[in-house]
């Protein structure tokens, strides 16, 4: 019985550390100042690991109509940002848990138009009442920072979710 208790305690420590087997939690944080400056001028600077390269490329090819806004960039900034997104896209960041799950949720040949339309992100939000997502303080699942208190660090853990007008999220 003592051996069982010791093994149980030891295994809980091993499996509590998500990095034990080399995987990293969340997604790689944004580390490009031009991307951060340009994109966060209008919205949260989403981590590139939240979408595959083909989605980022599709988005970058239509910046004059970027979610009903003209987000056209200077040529030099465009190249820097596009390169950054491609080099850090979800399929190139599979060592991060969320990036890996996002990539694995997308059907072959599919090109999600936004992070909030990827199957994994939709699945992670399916238990939340639509009224909480659509409320003025949140607006939609695209607004990560409205509920994910550590989103800017690339951490989207359930323990760090506080939904406006609801409180801490307990799944």
């Amino acid at each position: 019985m003592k051996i069982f208790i010791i093994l149980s305690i030891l295994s809980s420590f091993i499996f509590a550390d998500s990095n034990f087997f080399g995987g990293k939690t969340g997604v790689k944080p944004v580390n490009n100042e031009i991307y951060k400056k340009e994109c966060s001028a209008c919205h949260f600077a989403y981590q590139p690991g939240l979408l595959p390269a083909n989605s980022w490329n599709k988005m970058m090819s239509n910046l004059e109509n970027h979610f009903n806004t003209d987000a056209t960039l200077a040529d030099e900034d465009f190249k820097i940002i596009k390169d950054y997104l491609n080099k850090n896209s979800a399929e190139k960041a599979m060592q991060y848990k969320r990036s890996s799950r996002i990539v694995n949720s997308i059907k072959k040949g599919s090109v999600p138009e936004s992070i909030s339309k990827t199957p994994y992100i939709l699945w992670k939000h399916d238990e939340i009442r639509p009224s909480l997502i659509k409320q003025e303080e949140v607006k939609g699942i695209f607004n990560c920072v409205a509920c994910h208190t550590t989103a800017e660090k690339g951490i989207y853990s359930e323990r760090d979710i506080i939904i406006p007008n609801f409180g801490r999220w307990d799944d």
Side-chain angles (χ1 to χ4, degrees):
M1 183 67 170
K2 288 180 185 178
I3 299 270
F4 177 72
I5 293 170
I6 292 170
L7 286 174
S8 295
I9 292 169
L10 184 59
S11 67
S12 70
F13 283 115
I14 290 171
F15 293 111
D17 182 2
S18 61
N19 293 322
F20 184 76
F21 293 107
K24 298 178 182 181
T25 60
V27 292
K28 182 180 179 181
V30 172
N31 63 358
N32 181 292
E33 291 306 315
I34 293 173
Y35 171 78
K36 194 181 297 185
K37 176 183 168 254
E38 290 295 336
C39 298
S40 69
C42 296
H43 57 73
F44 170 63
Y46 299 100
Q47 293 86 6
L50 292 171
L51 277 176
N54 59 4
S55 292
W56 287 120
N57 288 330
K58 183 175 184 177
M59 198 175 299
M60 292 295 289
S61 72
N62 191 23
L63 288 179
E64 59 277 354
N65 186 20
H66 183 67
F67 301 98
N68 300 317
T69 301
D70 185 351
T72 306
L73 297 163
D75 289 344
E76 185 178 323
D77 291 344
F78 176 87
K79 182 180 178 351
I80 290 168
I81 291 170
K82 186 174 180 184
D83 288 347
Y84 172 68
L85 292 170
N86 277 285
K87 288 178 182 171
N88 294 279
S89 60
E91 72 274 19
K92 302 213 177 81
M94 296 292 278
Q95 70 273 27
Y96 290 87
K97 181 173 93 171
R98 300 270 184 238
S99 295
S100 175
R101 290 181 177 175
I102 286 167
V103 168
N104 291 328
S105 76
I106 299 170
K107 290 181 185 176
K108 188 175 182 175
S110 179
V111 181
E113 295 178 10
S114 67
I115 295 161
S116 60
K117 292 185 179 176
T118 62
Y120 175 75
I121 298 298
L122 290 168
W123 172 74
K124 288 300 286 182
H125 293 84
D126 72 347
E127 292 180 8
I128 303 169
R129 289 193 321 264
S131 62
L132 292 173
I133 294 170
K134 293 178 183 175
Q135 66 174 305
E136 183 61 28
E137 293 85 352
V138 178
K139 295 183 178 65
I141 62 175
F142 61 86
N143 190 10
C144 306
V145 293
C147 304
H148 294 274
T149 61
T150 53
E152 290 187 23
K153 297 176 186 175
I155 300 169
Y156 294 87
S157 171
E158 288 183 5
R159 71 177 166 265
D160 298 317
I161 297 172
I162 299 175
I163 301 173
N165 302 309
F166 178 80
R168 190 162 298 282
W169 178 253
D170 265 335
D171 191 20

